[in-house]
Amino acid sequence: MFRDHFHLPTGPDGKPLIYFCGNSLGLQARAVDDQLHQELGSWRERGVEGWWGGPDGGWLGYHRRLQDGLAAIVGAQPEEVVAANALTVNLHLLMISFFRPAGRRTKIIMESGAFPSDQHAIASQLKFHGLDPADHLIEVKPRVGETMIATDDIVAAIEAVGDELALVLWTGVQYYTGQFFALASIAAAGRRVGAVVGFDLAHAAGNVPLSLHEWRVDFAVWCNYKYLNGGPGAPGGIFVHQDHADRPDLPRFAGWWGHRESDRFAMKAEFIPERGAAGWQVSTVPVLGLAPLLATLPLFAEAGGMTAIRQRSMELTASLYEELQQLPDLRILTSDDPAQRGAQLSVYVPGHRPELERQLSEAGLIVDYRQDNYDGSGGGVLRLAPAPLYNTPEEVRAVPERLRQVL
């Protein structure tokens, strides 16, 4: 149990609150203070010379200090990953390179109800290429009366579009329902029809085991502030398969930090990309923004890696599922199949309750609540996400009573 490695929010009585909101913002690791102070000290004592002097050789290759940890979490080779930019920025940058509509291949397929930022990015990319999203964006929905999207339906939709499909852009874990998609099957289906395959892993990285290299995914993006506990607004993550590591021919919106490091400071006008995912960096590495990840990533390895973390997560979520069934007025949207969910359970709460999130917080339970019109009643969805690194079975068992107090 790694709970003692994290700062836990406390209530007025000084006791820890039940924090089931790691799917929105992970907690701060205790080691973050020391890591940030180290970089602040280097800045204070060395100024600009901190780039090439000080602990671990300075800041110039800062992103490389994160590669092994991130690669292990997403199932990649170290050179295939980099922490840089931000999630939606990275999605745009990677789509510039990998969404290249031509001839019949002009369409994108994604899940219905994707996170709005993904919808905005994809629609704007289609318009950038002069394509109408109404004609070139295909969204796969759950079957009538269901909340999960069947893998068979996803694969069938990919095969139906066939040689008109330019890009499969799919979510790892659905932000709203908590569904963990069969990513290996989706990637294989995309490859069979000759499409590029990209994943948004915002709710999957650090939550579920991934094998991006093995699945031959072309690219992926994620944020590092949820299950990876990188801090509010932490720089995002990029995966680019090694098949594309040495492809300077790929178009990209370039910036100087993506230039080949060996002659980056020669200030040449010609852009020569660094090998691998690092070639999609744009601006100077945000040292203070990445420092918390250096404190947090080692905890995943110490905990036994993603297989061990996933096992503990499944135990917590199974227990939470049983506890929530004690509240018959609530409807659990997330699958009862452990293989189809990550650390999050989404629960539909009927009625108009704009103050519900605040009320639950006052009752000692911090969760995420999204007001919605899911069934026409004006209700909303509670997203409860016990994070296996710092949440406990005792907290899971306490959740129904906290919900009863408020509901």
Side-chain angles (χ1 to χ4, degrees), residues 3 18 26 37-39 99 109 130 143 148 175 185 197 201 210 242-243 252 278 285 299 309 328 368 376 381 401:
R3 182 178 175 88
I18 299 175
H37 276 93
Q38 175 177 298
E39 309 310 343
F99 176 53
I109 198 165
R143 298 172 185 177
M148 302 293 102
Y175 89 99
S185 297
V197 177
L201 304 174
L210 301 164
Q242 70 176 18
D243 289 349
R252 66 185 85 196
V285 61
L299 296 177
I309 289 171
D368 177 85
V381 170
E401 182 56 35

Side-chain angles (χ1 to χ4, degrees), residues 308-373:
I309 289 171
R310 170 67 167 162
Q311 180 59 43
R312 177 173 177 79
S313 177
M314 292 176 77
E315 293 168 0
L316 289 172
T317 311
S319 177
L320 180 60
Y321 197 96
E322 292 181 8
E323 295 289 345
L324 292 174
Q325 287 181 311
Q326 300 176 29
L327 304 171
D329 292 337
L330 305 183
R331 179 187 177 194
I332 302 175
L333 302 182
T334 312
S335 175
D336 60 358
D337 177 5
Q340 293 190 59
R341 63 189 187 217
Q344 171 186 323
L345 293 182
S346 297
V347 182
Y348 180 67
V349 182
H352 183 63
R353 298 175 178 269
E355 299 298 314
L356 182 57
E357 190 172 307
R358 178 188 59 78
Q359 293 167 345
L360 287 171
S361 179
E362 292 175 351
L365 175 61
I366 299 179
V367 294
D368 177 85
Y369 177 69
R370 300 294 169 106
Q371 192 75 26
D372 191 24
N373 195 26

Side-chain angles (χ1 to χ4, degrees), residues 103-247:
R104 289 172 56 82
R105 289 195 185 275
T106 60
K107 295 183 178 179
I108 300 175
I109 198 165
M110 66 184 296
E111 92 268 18
S112 176
F115 192 76
S117 193
D118 283 8
Q119 297 182 50
H120 301 331
I122 293 167
S124 64
Q125 286 278 340
L126 284 165
K127 292 175 182 177
F128 175 77
H129 288 283
L131 302 172
D132 186 347
D135 299 324
H136 296 272
L137 177 59
I138 299 166
E139 298 179 86
V140 184
K141 299 180 179 181
R143 298 172 185 177
V144 176
E146 299 182 6
T147 56
M148 302 293 102
I149 305 175
T151 302
D152 288 348
D153 292 350
I154 300 169
V155 171
I158 291 170
E159 292 175 345
V161 184
D163 64 2
E164 295 183 37
L165 188 59
L167 174 64
V168 176
L169 186 53
W170 208 267
T171 297
V173 173
Q174 221 282 338
Y175 89 99
Y176 190 75
T177 66
Q179 180 178 2
F180 176 26
F181 291 104
L183 298 178
S185 297
I186 294 169
R191 289 199 311 274
R192 282 197 301 271
V193 301
V196 171
V197 177
F199 289 150
D200 178 348
L201 304 174
H203 290 266
N207 178 2
V208 292
L210 301 164
S211 298
L212 298 182
H213 178 82
E214 179 184 337
W215 296 337
R216 295 284 304 279
V217 178
D218 291 292
F219 72 89
V221 295
W222 64 90
C223 49
N224 285 311
Y225 50 78
K226 300 182 188 296
Y227 296 100
L228 293 175
N229 312 296
I238 292 173
F239 165 89
V240 177
H241 197 278
Q242 70 176 18
D243 289 349
H244 310 294
D246 287 312
R247 289 193 57 191

